[in-house]
């Protein structure tokens, strides 16, 4: 359990953009580098996360030199073969320099500006919770999560036993769930080229050009 007597401040949080996948639904493209309105998807996500954290990292298994300008550190998986987002989270937890990790997939450019703050406040209010995860009124979004570094050992053990399911791992934990009513786009995943086409020209109007 975390220490409920200590507030969770942005400076205590490292943001982690999850961009380490194989991009199968993007035809094998590195999804975080696919452009939306002339900027890589990961750049939109970085712009949304950076004000909410003390430092920003990216989980990536290729094109590290292209991701490097977007964050302070690019972390590759320790497991070979694109083992899924939990492998990226585990790799970051293994070298984390702060007590908290705020995660987000690279293809969610319209994140709430108070994502980290609200997840942190939920943990402060629930001393028994292991981590906090975001939800919308219809479902949870378990990769939008705030978790403590102490979960590293358990996650490593889960992966070593062959576990790869994010929801399966969460079933071993007690999450605090925070529901956001920020509209359908807040946690929208842009998984394929077809998802991107209708959005051309709309991104800057939603999150600003910065």
């Amino acid at each position: 359990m975390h220490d409920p007597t200590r507030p969770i401040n942005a400076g205590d949080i490292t943001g982690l953009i999850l961009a380490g996948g194989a991009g199968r639904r993007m035809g094998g493209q590195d999804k975080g580098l696919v452009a939306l309105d002339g900027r890589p998807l990961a750049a939109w996500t970085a712009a949304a996360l950076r004000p909410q954290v003390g430092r920003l990292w990216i989980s990536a298994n290729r094109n590290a030199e292209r991701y490097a300008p977007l964050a302070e550190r690019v972390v590759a998986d320790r497991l070979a073969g694109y083992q899924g987002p939990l492998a990226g989270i585990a790799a970051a937890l293994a070298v984390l320099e702060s007590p908290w990790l705020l995660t987000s997939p690279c293809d969610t450019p319209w994140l709430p500006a108070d994502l980290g703050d609200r997840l942190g406040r939920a943990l402060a209010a629930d001393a028994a919770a292991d981590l906090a995860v975001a939800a919308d009124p219809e479902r949870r979004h378990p990769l939008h999560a705030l978790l403590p570094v102490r979960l590293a050992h358990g996650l490593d053990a889960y992966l070593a036993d062959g576990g790869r399911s994010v929801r399966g791992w969460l079933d071993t934990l007690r999450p605090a769930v925070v529901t956001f009513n920020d509209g359908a786009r807040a946690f929208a995943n842009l998984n394929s080229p077809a998802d991107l086409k209708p959005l051309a020209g709309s991104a800057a109007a939603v999150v600003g050009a910065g």
Side-chain angles (χ1 to χ4, degrees), residues 132-157:
V133 300
D136 62 31
E138 296 183 357
R139 64 188 182 96
R140 294 184 186 185
H141 298 277
L143 288 177
H144 298 280
L146 179 66
L147 54 149
V149 67
R150 69 167 183 83
L151 295 184
H153 179 73
L155 178 54
D156 284 343

Side-chain angles (χ1 to χ4, degrees), residues 150-178:
R150 69 167 183 83
L151 295 184
H153 179 73
L155 178 54
D156 284 343
Y158 178 79
L159 291 168
D161 286 341
R164 297 295 182 267
S165 165
V166 178
R167 287 179 172 82
W169 181 56
L170 282 182
D171 285 344
T172 70
L173 302 169
R174 187 185 186 284
V177 180
V178 182

Side-chain angles (χ1 to χ4, degrees), residues 43-84:
W44 291 103
T45 306
L49 275 186
R50 187 171 287 283
Q52 306 187 46
V53 298
R55 59 197 58 77
L56 185 64
W57 293 1
I58 295 178
S59 165
N61 292 308
R62 47 182 168 161
N63 298 310
E65 72 286 352
R66 295 180 63 186
Y67 282 114
L70 301 176
E72 284 77 51
R73 183 167 183 171
V74 179
V75 182
D77 292 358
R78 295 175 297 168
L79 299 175
Y82 298 105
Q83 296 296 311

Side-chain angles (χ1 to χ4, degrees), residues 84-101:
L86 288 181
I89 293 171
L93 287 174
V95 293
L96 198 65
E97 300 163 345
S98 63
W100 298 96
L101 188 70

